[in-house]
Amino acid sequence: MKLSLASSPHQHVRRDTGAVMRLVCYAALPGILAQVVFFGWGVLVQLILAGITAVAAEAVILMLRKKPIKRTLQDYSAVLTGLLLAISIPPLAPWWIIVLGTCFAIIIVKQLYGGLGFNMFNPAMAAYVMLLISFPVQMTNWLPPQSLVENNASLLDAVWVVFTGYTVEGYSVAQLKVDIDGISMATPLDHVKTALMSGQTVAEATNVSFMYGTTGAGWVWVTLAYLFGGLALIQQRVITWHIPGSMIAAVALVSLLFYVVSPDNYASPYFHLINGSVIVGAFFIATDPVSASTTPRGRLVFGALIGFWIVIIRIFGNYPDAVAFAVVIMNMAVPLIDYYTQPRTYGHRA
């Protein structure tokens, strides 16, 4: 009997890589639908651009590397990378943002490392970090929920804004961010962080029209939709509970410690879990089988440290949401984590 060595991703169920990647895409559909409902058609525009760019970039690099194109594209890893990046950026970001980010993810982070199974970093998150550092203005132009804006953008408007910067009627992204009271809105994380830096308390920061208690309008439903999809992935044994469970628990625990010390200066665990991309990151990003830890204990450590860094960067860093940074940081630590969390060999004597 011949044994063959292969790099991750390794699956313990009888599905090929393409089937696993498709299941992850399907599980993200409830969250994507919720994003479209609450934040407009731009989400779909970004998804289409990301999908086309990801497949085209992968095909070109495979051709240059003289690798099989059709078989590789059928693993759907490029499509999933584009999907994760598209749902992470503002819906009406300029077209070149998603094209540049997707090309960076596929060509630089994935293919230059050797392709699927050899990339050190999560391609979508590495690309997100690159875009956020390089183009902070375009990457922070998030729209308020559709129910609160003065001018709703139709599908045609979304296409026009992405490619020209203006709607059919001539409204810019800055004008679309204005709510019905004439206030330019930000995401809950960005709003609270800015308010805290100006000397307000958490209670004062959240006591505004578009903050329902401690969450922004629409964010709860988007988070719950992705949570539903993530639990479906666990139920289908596509992922295990170790990384999402430890990551969510760490975010809750670390934020609770700060909240207990000073509730006026630090937001509650509920605020940190519901707002931003913690749930998406826990189930769809940190669980990447290539760049995540591969041992059971290692996954617990990996997820917990991601959760720790998310809260620390949110509180002390310059960026309101820190999931991408935390994931990339911990991707670098995966070899060390795996080394010290290897399961004991069968027959080993203490």
Side-chain angles (χ1 to χ4, degrees), residues 296-320:
R297 284 188 299 162
R299 289 169 182 163
L300 291 174
V301 174
F302 178 75
L305 288 176
I306 289 176
F308 168 80
W309 282 116
I310 288 173
V311 178
I312 295 301
I313 296 173
R314 281 184 175 184
I315 292 176
F316 301 106
N318 293 325
Y319 298 99

Side-chain angles (χ1 to χ4, degrees), residues 307-344:
F308 168 80
W309 282 116
I310 288 173
V311 178
I312 295 301
I313 296 173
R314 281 184 175 184
I315 292 176
F316 301 106
N318 293 325
Y319 298 99
D321 200 358
V323 173
F325 290 95
V327 169
V328 170
I329 289 171
M330 291 313 303
N331 284 159
M332 293 186 287
V334 163
L336 185 66
I337 294 173
D338 282 352
Y339 178 81
Y340 284 106
T341 59
Q342 293 180 23
R344 177 171 294 184

Side-chain angles (χ1 to χ4, degrees), residues 92-93 141-143 161 165-166 171-178:
L92 296 184
N141 264 332
W142 282 88
L143 292 181
V161 172
Y166 297 91
Y171 294 111
S172 65
V173 176
Q175 291 172 310
L176 292 175
K177 289 179 65 177
V178 175

Side-chain angles (χ1 to χ4, degrees), residues 99-301:
V99 171
L100 178 63
T102 306
C103 286
F104 180 85
I106 298 298
I107 297 173
I108 305 298
V109 185
K110 182 184 177 185
Q111 286 298 330
L112 288 190
Y113 275 84
L116 182 65
F118 298 96
N119 49 286
M120 177 179 180
F121 299 102
N122 182 295
M125 292 300 96
Y128 180 90
V129 169
M130 182 276 293
L131 290 173
L132 186 59
I133 294 174
S134 304
F135 311 102
V137 175
Q138 290 82 1
M139 288 293 290
T140 53
N141 264 332
W142 282 88
L143 292 181
Q146 295 293 288
S147 60
L148 299 179
V149 296
E150 184 177 4
N151 301 297
N152 282 315
S154 65
L155 176 58
L156 182 60
D157 286 329
V159 174
W160 274 76
V161 172
V162 169
F163 284 97
T164 69
Y166 297 91
T167 66
V168 177
E169 290 81 13
Y171 294 111
S172 65
V173 176
Q175 291 172 310
L176 292 175
K177 289 179 65 177
V178 175
D179 71 1
I180 54 179
D181 295 323
I183 301 173
S184 182
M185 297 174 59
T187 63
L189 286 171
D190 192 38
H191 170 76
V192 170
K193 188 172 186 66
T194 302
L196 291 174
M197 293 175 63
S198 65
Q200 297 183 41
T201 65
V202 173
E204 292 171 339
T206 55
N207 188 26
V208 292
S209 59
F210 67 90
M211 296 287 290
Y212 292 84
T214 57
T215 61
W219 288 99
V220 174
W221 296 108
V222 172
T223 298
L224 291 177
Y226 279 115
L227 176 60
F228 174 81
L231 293 176
L233 289 178
I234 294 178
Q235 191 274 330
Q236 291 294 314
R237 298 180 62 196
V238 176
I239 61 174
T240 64
W241 63 269
H242 300 78
I243 291 176
S246 59
M247 178 175 161
I248 293 172
V251 170
L253 179 60
V254 177
S255 59
L256 177 62
L257 294 176
F258 282 99
Y259 181 71
V260 169
V261 171
S262 179
D264 287 338
N265 296 313
Y266 303 112
S268 67
Y270 178 74
F271 177 87
H272 281 285
L273 290 173
I274 292 297
N275 294 296
S277 53
V278 170
I279 299 301
V280 178
F283 289 97
F284 293 91
I285 295 171
T287 52
D288 172 29
V290 176
S291 57
S293 180
T294 57
T295 66
R297 284 188 299 162
R299 289 169 182 163
L300 291 174
V301 174

